[in-house]
């Protein structure tokens, strides 16, 4: 765990990273009281509080017990962040993912594979002209038009890590196209992709087969041929061949040079506790390795990405942006992804160590919200004190009792109630 933090510090302090992160080559060349490292660490630690509050907390923590304290205006911070390319946070996140992959002793998998759930959502943005031009807008069920952006993540449900994240215009890309764009950061040899009902299409399924990815989709009732084929069969687990769909898919098929017929698929039906029939389409055709119960378990694991979106919006407070510019939105988005990933990597190690503790009557898991909170609280100690080991020990001690009992096979009826989502920039929490 100490190695993860030390790797992060070294990456931020690396001269090549600093140079590649600048919007203009002359930026961050003079020695100022608010350095490049200060800027990156501040943005990583932002949450719901105002910029003024976060800056004051930062300088108070750095001042220690002395009587002197540095101040830095919000305007100066806004000017400084315009010199920082948002892509620098993407680079930093990829460096952390590579470190975790190569060094973590506690990586989890399912049947030797990494299960990756891909799903999308929307973020409500401040109503600024520049943001509407860049990201577009959308309307809710009450026909209220809001500035917003479409986001998508590829999520490792076994290790609770966001492998790739995208934020784009609400109209320019749909969820399927964004799912395709995630593939360049995934591995067809080790990953199984899981999708909800909004994703199945002939062109995407054909593309995944072409790229060598295994997958599992849930099919909606709009896929009448698949449902009718299952209903007319005695078996509820059959081989399936997907043929060309309506003409609106022809453009994608031609653009990516895809086949209009996909073989080597498996169609199965699973009965849910509420009596609903769940129809799944998968490329995992080896029934000895992947029986029906295993495929049911695989698709159920997809719920982890829904929980991840809850942490993105409710724990990391993603929609409480710290600025009104495109730069600020992109920086906040990718920085919160990094904060969540660091927390998840720590959580994996803690849970692995906790498995050796036989004192619990029931299975327990670490409280993910508390891990995020503790990482944010100790950012200054980790990045600016010279005793990472001591900081990690404190984090572990605080998290020792932050566990929840695992209650398997629970489900609750979803109650959809619309609430105004836009988060204020002027009136924020503390």
């Amino acid at each position: 765990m100490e190695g993860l933090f030390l790797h992060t510090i070294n990456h931020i302090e690396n001269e090549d990273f600093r140079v590649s992160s600048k919007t203009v080559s002359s930026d961050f060349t003079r020695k100022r009281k608010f350095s490049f490292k200060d800027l990156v660490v501040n943005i990583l630690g932002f949450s719901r509080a105002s910029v003024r509050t976060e800056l004051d907390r930062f300088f108070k923590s750095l001042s220690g017990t002395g009587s002197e304290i540095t101040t830095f205006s919000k305007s100066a911070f806004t000017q400084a962040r315009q010199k920082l390319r948002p892509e620098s946070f993407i680079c930093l996140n990829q460096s952390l993912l590579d470190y975790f992959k190569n060094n973590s002793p506690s990586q989890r998998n399912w049947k030797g594979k990494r299960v990756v759930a891909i799903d999308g959502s929307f973020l409500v943005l401040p109503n600024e002209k520049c943001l509407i031009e860049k990201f577009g807008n959308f309307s809710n069920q009450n026909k209220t038009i809001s500035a917003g952006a479409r986001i998508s993540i590829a999520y490792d449900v076994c290790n609770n890590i966001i492998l790739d994240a995208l934020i784009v215009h609400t109209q320019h890309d749909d969820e399927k196209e964004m799912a395709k764009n995630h593939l360049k950061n995934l591995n067809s040899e080790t990953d199984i992709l899981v999708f909800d009902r909004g994703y199945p299409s002939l062109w995407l399924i054909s593309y995944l087969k072409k790229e060598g990815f295994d997958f599992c989709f849930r099919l909606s009732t709009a896929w009448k041929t698949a449902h009718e084929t299952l209903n007319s069969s005695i078996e509820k687990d059959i081989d399936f061949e997907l043929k060309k769909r309506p003409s609106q898919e022809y453009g994608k098929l031609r653009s990516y040079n895809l086949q209009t017929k996909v073989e080597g698929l498996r169609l199965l039906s699973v009965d849910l506790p509420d009596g609903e029939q769940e129809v799944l389409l998968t490329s995992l055709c080896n029934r000895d390795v992947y029986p029906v119960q295993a495929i049911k378990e695989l698709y159920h694991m997809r719920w982890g990405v829904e929980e991840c979106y809850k942490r993105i919006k409710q724990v990391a407070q993603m929609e409480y942006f710290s600025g009104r510019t495109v730069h600020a939105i992109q920086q906040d988005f990718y920085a919160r992804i990094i904060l969540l990933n660091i927390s998840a990597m720590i959580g994996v190690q803690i849970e692995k160590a906790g498995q050796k503790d036989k004192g619990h009557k029931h299975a327990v898991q670490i409280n993910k919200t508390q891990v995020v909170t503790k990482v944010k609280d100790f950012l200054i100690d980790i990045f600016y004190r010279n005793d990472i080991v001591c900081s990690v020990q404190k984090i572990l001690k605080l998290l020792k009792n932050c566990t929840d009992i695992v209650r398997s096979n629970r489900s609750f009826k979803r109650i959809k109630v619309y609430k105004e989502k836009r988060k204020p920039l002027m009136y924020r929490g503390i």
Side-chain angles (χ1 to χ4, degrees):
M1 197 179 302
E2 294 89 347
L4 174 66
F5 289 126
L6 186 60
H7 173 82
T8 307
I9 293 170
N10 290 338
H11 191 94
I12 293 174
E13 294 179 344
N14 183 273
E15 179 64 17
D16 291 337
F17 175 68
R18 186 179 69 84
V19 171
S20 65
S21 299
K22 298 188 293 185
T23 56
V24 179
S25 59
S26 59
D27 293 337
F28 302 114
T29 53
R30 288 185 289 178
K31 187 175 182 180
R32 297 179 181 273
K33 61 182 178 182
F34 197 68
S35 67
F36 171 80
K37 178 182 176 180
D38 297 339
L39 179 62
V40 173
V41 174
N42 262 275
I43 295 175
L44 285 176
F46 278 171
S47 57
R48 182 169 179 168
S50 68
V51 172
R52 177 73 273 158
T53 301
E54 295 284 10
L55 289 173
D56 288 345
R57 285 174 176 167
F58 173 77
F59 286 113
K60 175 182 177 296
S61 298
L62 286 185
S63 67
T65 57
S67 59
E68 296 294 325
I69 187 170
T70 304
T71 59
F72 198 72
S73 70
K74 187 171 71 171
S75 174
F77 170 80
T78 301
Q79 294 176 51
R81 79 181 310 172
Q82 286 299 111
K83 302 175 182 179
L84 179 65
R85 298 173 65 243
E87 292 78 9
S88 62
F89 291 100
I90 301 177
C91 177
L92 177 58
N93 186 54
Q94 188 57 53
S95 175
L96 291 172
L97 292 173
D98 292 340
Y99 180 87
F100 179 79
K101 179 181 178 181
N102 296 327
N103 296 279
S104 173
S106 308
Q107 298 178 58
R108 297 174 293 205
N109 60 65
W110 182 79
K111 294 183 178 293
K113 295 284 188 176
R114 185 172 68 175
V115 179
V116 180
I118 294 179
D119 200 11
S121 185
F122 288 96
L123 290 181
V124 178
L125 307 180
N127 260 334
E128 297 292 328
K129 183 179 179 181
C130 64
L131 299 181
I132 294 175
E133 290 175 351
K134 176 67 177 180
F135 298 111
N137 52 45
F138 64 94
S139 60
N140 56 39
Q141 57 266 52
N142 292 341
K143 308 302 181 184
T144 302
I145 298 177
S146 302
R150 185 189 293 272
I151 63 173
S152 179
I153 62 173
Y155 182 69
D156 177 355
V157 298
C158 296
N159 296 292
N160 305 312
I161 290 174
I162 300 170
L163 302 172
D164 193 39
L166 299 171
I167 178 168
V168 300
H169 196 285
T170 55
Q171 305 301 324
H172 291 176
D173 285 324
D174 60 15
E175 287 185 330
K176 301 180 186 69
E177 192 68 32
M178 295 176 76
K180 181 191 79 68
N181 292 335
H182 285 305
L183 301 183
K184 62 180 178 292
N185 291 313
L186 303 178
N187 189 332
S188 61
E189 295 182 359
T190 60
D191 296 340
I192 299 176
L193 311 184
V194 187
F195 300 89
D196 200 5
R197 286 173 284 192
Y199 284 89
S201 66
L202 174 58
W203 80 263
L204 181 57
I205 293 170
S206 182
Y207 191 91
L208 292 175
K209 290 286 285 186
K210 179 181 176 181
E211 296 296 315
F213 281 93
D214 281 318
F215 52 82
C216 179
F217 289 89
R218 183 178 180 183
L219 301 184
S220 69
T221 54
W223 287 72
K224 292 184 173 55
T225 301
H227 282 263
E228 290 171 358
T229 301
L230 269 178
N231 291 334
S232 62
S233 172
I234 299 176
E235 301 293 332
K236 296 302 180 184
D237 179 8
I238 61 176
D239 295 328
F240 189 67
E241 180 182 277
L242 187 60
K243 299 180 180 179
K244 60 183 180 181
R245 295 271 293 166
S247 58
Q248 59 262 34
E249 293 203 33
Y250 290 166
K252 294 286 188 182
L253 293 169
R254 286 194 298 267
S255 297
Y256 300 124
N257 192 27
L258 302 173
Q259 299 293 323
T260 58
K261 182 172 69 172
V262 183
E263 299 175 329
L265 299 175
R266 180 180 171 194
L267 191 66
L268 59 151
S269 174
V270 175
D271 294 327
L272 301 179
D274 61 0
E276 184 181 357
Q277 185 185 59
E278 188 175 72
V279 176
L280 303 176
L281 178 71
T282 181
S283 62
L284 301 172
C285 295
N286 189 329
R287 290 175 172 82
D288 293 329
V289 178
Y290 303 106
V292 172
Q293 188 60 34
I295 300 299
K296 178 182 178 180
E297 177 188 343
L298 172 65
Y299 182 76
H300 180 72
M301 292 171 69
R302 194 204 69 84
W303 189 253
V305 74
E306 303 287 353
E307 291 296 313
C308 180
Y309 271 119
K310 186 189 298 183
R311 290 193 294 277
I312 286 174
K313 295 186 178 184
Q314 304 299 329
V315 178
Q317 299 289 326
M318 179 75 80
E319 291 177 319
Y320 284 91
F321 293 102
S322 60
R324 299 173 182 268
T325 65
V326 173
H327 247 63
I329 299 301
Q330 292 174 329
Q331 288 170 353
D332 284 349
F333 175 73
Y334 292 114
R336 308 273 172 97
I337 297 299
I338 291 174
L339 182 66
L340 289 170
N341 275 347
I342 291 176
S343 304
M345 293 172 188
I346 293 173
V348 169
Q349 308 306 318
I350 294 175
E351 288 184 347
K352 181 68 174 180
Q355 290 176 0
K356 300 176 182 179
D357 184 0
K358 304 299 182 181
H360 296 290
K361 181 179 179 181
H362 302 284
V364 296
Q365 63 183 4
I366 195 72
N367 185 303
K368 298 178 180 64
T369 299
Q370 288 301 314
V371 181
V372 176
T373 302
K374 301 303 182 286
V375 170
K376 174 176 164 52
D377 289 346
F378 278 86
L379 274 182
I380 304 301
D381 299 88
I382 292 167
F383 283 94
Y384 292 93
R385 312 289 185 237
N386 293 320
D387 195 349
I388 296 178
V389 174
C390 179
S391 297
V392 169
Q393 289 176 345
K394 290 179 180 179
I395 292 174
L396 293 177
K397 187 172 183 178
L398 290 172
L399 289 174
K400 184 177 181 180
N401 295 319
C402 296
T403 56
D404 299 318
I405 296 174
V406 178
R407 295 178 173 88
S408 303
N409 302 317
R410 291 198 308 168
S411 62
F412 300 93
K413 184 178 180 180
R414 297 178 69 181
I415 302 175
K416 297 183 179 181
V417 179
Y418 174 75
K419 297 180 180 179
E420 175 59 41
K421 292 184 177 181
R422 183 173 292 104
K423 305 301 187 290
L425 289 180
M426 300 301 294
Y427 304 99
R428 301 163 65 111
I430 58 173

